[in-house]
Amino acid sequence: MRLVKVGIASVNTTVGAFVRNVDRALVLAKRMAEDGVTVGVFQEQLLAGYPAEDMVQWQGFIDRQWPELERFAQETAALPTVFVVGVGVALQGQRLNCAAVVAGGRVLGLVPKEKLPTYNVFYEARTFGRGQPGMAELHRGVPLGDYLFQFDFGVLAPEVCEDIWSADGPMRRRAYAGAELVVNISASPFRLGVMETRRELIATRSSDHQCTIAYANAVGANDGLIFDGGGFVNQNGRHVLEAPRFQEGYAAAVVDLDRTLRLRGEATTWRLDREAWLSSGGKGPSVLDCTQVVRTRRESLAYPVPAHRSFFLPAQSKQRSARDALCEDILDALALGVGDYFEKTRAFKLLGIALSGGRDSLLTLLIAHRYARRVRPENPGSLIQAFYMPSRYSSDSTRDAAETIARELGVPFQIVSIDEAFERERAVAEQMLGGASVTPITEQNIQARLRAQRMWNWSNSCGGLFLQTGNMSEKSVGYTTIGGDLMGALAVIANVPKTVVVYLLDYLQEVTGYEGIRKVLAKPAGPELAHNQVGEEELMPFPILDACFYLYAGEKLTPAEMLKALVSMFPEVEASKLGGSVDKFVRLFTQSIYKWVQSPLSLHIGNLDLDRERALQLPVVTGSEWMRDKA
């Protein structure tokens, strides 16, 4: 047996906080060594934080990482553990996103990332250069390139994040060259459903390449990107370890690398593929002999026996229902996003919400409270301030719902009417129009802007983080006010569709029993900026609206194609009505792009959202002729 204990660590880093990031990593490194970990795996860009975006173009930003990497090496010199950490380096005019192998007080080698994602929220090819097969350079006297590392326990192959997502990644040639333990350091953002995708991907790669894979992911939020942490160990396709998510820390498991070699020898297809690769001139990376650098201590490691002590029977399932998993993941991710933005900016003292008594502000409040429970468990409500700002159109039921939930959560709650200010602002607007009356939509917008202005005044005066509460569905069609409810410092649910908002509230009402949630859900959704407003009557049913958004913005269908899909999806609705919904959606969506580009930073939880700088990049000024069917 050749037992190796692999530790998977996730550190909540801040971009540019090199010293703090390394300090946090050192705490975990020392704990892993005390726990007998042989190989400790950290995340991509551990030192710099991720994503650094164009900060990478500052030479000082790159250069300052190296002293911290050396400090990490020095402070772990006496530990009998090999560490793999993420670092950025500059070489011959390029910036390289590298995995650094550290042991015995030295940086033993640097392996650059080869596959640079430039899609969705990623822009790495804008700033980073690519590693190349067979690359062999020196950086500050340290080997940099396509390398394997021979230790007393076996052959280690580092790689970085996207390299594992490509079927043509470096893992193939490295496994053919003798790599037994492939270590992938990642900063993979949370997206709905990504956990299952990662698990399947890693199992597939481990099976395809007949190796053991250790995968570590970043945790925490930077700007709008949320990283859920966690990680996996998979041996030749068999699941070994899944690390906890949404928390800083580490998890470890023991594997027998002799088992990896045995299974590799038994896999005739793998052996034949390797022979074909070699005969076609395939060349693997060089191997660095590190056997004299560190002596790992593995004598006390125990054989990895299943917790239920059976190699044939399944363990008791701890799997959550699909509904619980979806809701808890979204809520945990958004709470982490709010909390890290609040803490890492170091600019705020309180969280502030304009609580309307409606669904969106309620969900935003519950997410903020979830974060507050973690940092102030004795009195979470004290971290939040809620304001209810009624006008003549506000109903008694929404006021009662807002008061009820604030009381149940222990959140300070103030009622501050905007009615008198509304009268004054409307009069001023009519004066500016030469005595003409303002339009009904202007009356609505005046109310929304008064509320936002007061929230900004509160924020400026007390250091409060003003949370914007709008959802993705209404934002997509401009059912929001510039300078009003579109405003805030951080948009918490701006990438959550309205149907998901309601789904989450139904779930939270069941698990918490809060009367305030029940009262909010009992009333039709509407902004209450005019008499008897109902959002679905002014727009369209939200399930149809969300379907239109997905088909148009996600699947990139034309209006004619959208209608065909909707007819199949909603057979109970007349086709003519669905056609009207499609036309209305496309018109409002196109006309509203100028609004979203003025909205605040938003938290990302999916591959589809309205952040023009990160995901859906659309021109503000555009014609619609291309959408029409050709005659």
Side-chain angles (χ1 to χ4, degrees):
M1 290 187 295
R2 196 156 35 103
L3 302 183
V4 175
K5 191 169 189 178
V6 181
I8 305 295
S10 295
V11 179
N12 192 336
T13 59
T14 300
V15 172
F18 302 157
V19 175
R20 276 184 282 150
N21 294 342
V22 170
D23 286 345
R24 297 176 87 115
L26 284 169
V27 170
L28 295 181
K30 292 170 184 177
R31 282 174 51 195
M32 283 192 283
E34 291 172 0
D35 192 24
V37 166
T38 313
V39 179
V41 187
F42 287 92
Q43 70 229 39
E44 178 182 12
Q45 290 294 296
L46 171 73
L47 277 75
Y50 186 89
E53 299 182 322
D54 282 3
M55 291 297 297
V56 173
Q57 295 177 358
W58 270 257
Q59 187 67 31
F61 187 87
I62 292 291
D63 289 345
R64 182 65 181 82
Q65 293 179 49
W66 192 260
E68 289 304 312
L69 180 62
E70 289 184 323
R71 179 167 73 91
F72 180 90
Q74 291 163 6
E75 295 196 26
T76 58
L79 304 180
T81 305
V82 175
F83 297 102
V84 183
V85 304
V87 65
V89 302
L91 179 73
Q92 299 171 4
Q94 291 195 94
R95 278 81 167 104
L96 298 172
N97 182 351
C98 294
V101 180
V102 178
R106 294 166 48 192
V107 181
L108 302 178
L110 299 158
V111 178
K113 188 173 185 175
E114 296 185 10
K115 306 293 183 178
L116 300 181
T118 307
Y119 59 87
N120 198 263
V121 299
F122 305 105
Y123 292 92
E124 286 194 26
R126 172 184 171 88
T127 50
F128 284 112
R130 305 174 189 275
Q132 301 293 331
M135 185 177 185
E137 305 282 352
L138 283 177
H139 176 72
R140 299 177 186 254
V142 175
L144 183 155
D146 185 16
Y147 289 112
L148 303 182
F149 298 79
Q150 174 75 59
F151 290 99
D152 58 5
F153 57 81
V155 181
L156 178 75
E159 64 175 31
V160 184
C161 199
E162 188 76 6
D163 289 349
I164 202 172
W165 290 86
S166 170
D168 190 34
M171 190 183 303
R172 178 170 176 260
R173 68 174 182 274
R174 290 171 183 167
Y176 286 162
E180 300 166 296
L181 176 59
V182 176
V183 172
N184 184 281
I185 62 172
S186 281
S188 178
F190 170 80
R191 285 102 67 204
L192 294 176
V194 73
M195 189 62 174
E196 291 75 16
T197 303
R198 286 184 198 140
R199 186 185 294 113
E200 293 171 7
L201 171 76
I202 290 164
T204 300
R205 294 285 181 265
S206 180
S207 177
D208 286 347
H209 302 299
Q210 288 299 312
C211 60
T212 298
I213 294 178
Y215 170 95
N217 190 34
V219 70
N222 281 299
D223 290 355
L225 292 187
I226 302 164
F227 301 88
D228 51 327
F232 302 92
V233 175
N234 190 293
Q235 186 172 41
N236 297 67
R238 187 178 77 177
H239 173 75
V240 176
L241 172 70
E242 184 171 316
R245 299 161 67 213
F246 297 110
Q247 64 187 55
E248 185 172 82
Y250 83 94
V254 175
V255 294
D256 179 6
L257 288 184
D258 277 346
R259 180 174 183 271
T260 286
L261 284 190
R262 176 178 61 78
L263 292 175
R264 182 173 283 181
E266 293 175 2
T268 54
T269 300
W270 184 88
R271 296 200 329 261
L272 290 171
D273 288 345
R274 180 178 182 272
E275 290 171 6
W277 178 78
L278 288 171
S279 64
S280 65
K283 186 177 180 182
S286 301
V287 181
L288 300 177
D289 186 353
C290 305
T291 53
Q292 303 305 310
V293 175
V294 60
R295 181 178 180 277
T296 59
R297 298 172 189 165
R298 296 175 287 115
E299 299 82 6
S300 62
L301 295 181
Y303 190 80
V305 175
H308 59 297
R309 294 190 296 181
S310 174
F311 293 105
F312 300 100
L313 299 176
Q316 185 175 358
S317 175
K318 298 179 182 178
Q319 189 171 1
R320 300 175 294 180
S321 70
R323 185 188 187 213
D324 288 355
L326 174 74
C327 292
E328 289 296 327
D329 278 359
I330 294 175
L331 294 167
D332 281 344
L334 293 175
L336 180 61
V338 169
D340 275 12
Y341 187 86
F342 179 75
E343 294 177 15
K344 291 178 180 180
T345 52
R346 299 183 171 188
F348 306 106
K349 300 175 183 176
L350 290 169
L351 298 165
I353 297 174
L355 195 60
S356 68
R359 290 157 173 76
D360 297 335
S361 62
L362 170 60
L363 180 58
T364 303
L365 173 64
L366 292 166
I367 290 165
H369 192 265
R370 175 176 280 233
Y371 158 67
R373 284 204 316 264
R374 178 170 63 82
V375 294
R376 290 191 186 177
E378 72 291 343
N379 188 12
S382 64
L383 193 60
I384 306 169
Q385 178 71 57
F387 299 93
Y388 180 74
M389 292 177 274
S391 72
R392 67 198 60 188
Y393 303 112
S394 302
S395 65
D396 291 340
S397 61
T398 53
R399 172 174 172 165
D400 179 45
E403 282 185 306
T404 300
I405 192 63
R407 182 173 62 253
E408 289 178 306
L409 298 177
V411 172
F413 180 78
Q414 288 188 42
I415 299 175
V416 186
S417 174
I418 63 168
D419 225 29
E420 290 184 11
F422 168 62
E423 289 285 3
R424 289 195 301 270
E425 288 301 317
R426 182 172 62 179
V428 170
E430 290 177 344
Q431 178 184 342
M432 295 172 70
L433 290 167
S437 297
V438 299
T439 63
I441 193 67
T442 303
E443 286 192 342
Q444 296 184 38
N445 290 341
I446 288 171
Q447 297 168 67
R449 290 180 180 127
L450 281 169
R451 290 171 176 142
Q453 179 185 342
R454 291 185 175 184
M455 288 302 299
W456 279 126
N457 292 341
W458 167 83
S459 172
N460 294 158
S461 300
C462 71
L465 173 57
F466 172 18
L467 298 178
Q468 197 266 352
T469 63
N471 67 75
M472 182 168 72
S473 306
E474 293 172 359
K475 180 181 176 182
S476 73
V477 290
Y479 198 59
T480 185
T481 302
I482 294 175
D485 55 306
L486 188 64
M487 297 296 101
L490 179 68
V492 180
I493 61 169
N495 295 311
V496 181
K498 188 73 170 189
T499 50
V500 178
V501 170
V502 176
Y503 192 83
L504 291 170
L505 289 175
D506 282 336
Y507 170 79
L508 287 169
Q509 204 281 324
E510 287 183 21
V511 299
T512 67
Y514 287 139
E515 179 68 7
I517 302 179
R518 187 195 66 77
K519 289 182 176 181
V520 169
L521 293 176
K523 187 178 185 298
E528 292 194 338
L529 298 170
H531 288 299
N532 302 318
Q533 265 190 311
V534 177
E536 289 186 297
E537 292 178 359
E538 295 192 333
L539 294 170
M540 64 189 74
F542 287 124
I544 294 176
L545 173 54
D546 283 350
C548 285
F549 177 73
Y550 180 83
L551 293 170
Y552 184 72
E555 294 299 317
K556 310 298 190 293
L557 300 187
T558 65
E561 292 169 329
M562 291 168 63
L563 179 56
K564 289 181 181 179
L566 290 178
V567 167
S568 298
M569 189 171 182
F570 301 100
E572 71 280 8
V573 181
E574 293 180 14
S576 60
K577 288 186 178 180
L578 291 173
S581 294
V582 169
D583 292 342
K584 184 175 185 177
F585 172 83
V586 173
R587 174 175 54 82
L588 292 175
F589 182 93
T590 305
Q591 291 175 354
S592 301
I593 298 173
Y594 83 99
K595 284 189 174 184
W596 343 317
V597 300
Q598 302 177 60
S599 60
L601 182 77
S602 58
L603 300 179
H604 295 256
I605 62 167
N607 288 323
L608 176 62
D609 58 40
L610 294 174
D611 190 330
R612 188 169 181 257
E613 293 184 356
R614 284 213 179 273
L616 197 60
Q617 299 186 8
L618 297 175
V620 173
V621 180
T622 178
S624 59
E625 288 86 351
W626 64 271
M627 299 182 196
R628 299 170 191 159
D629 286 341
K630 192 173 181 180

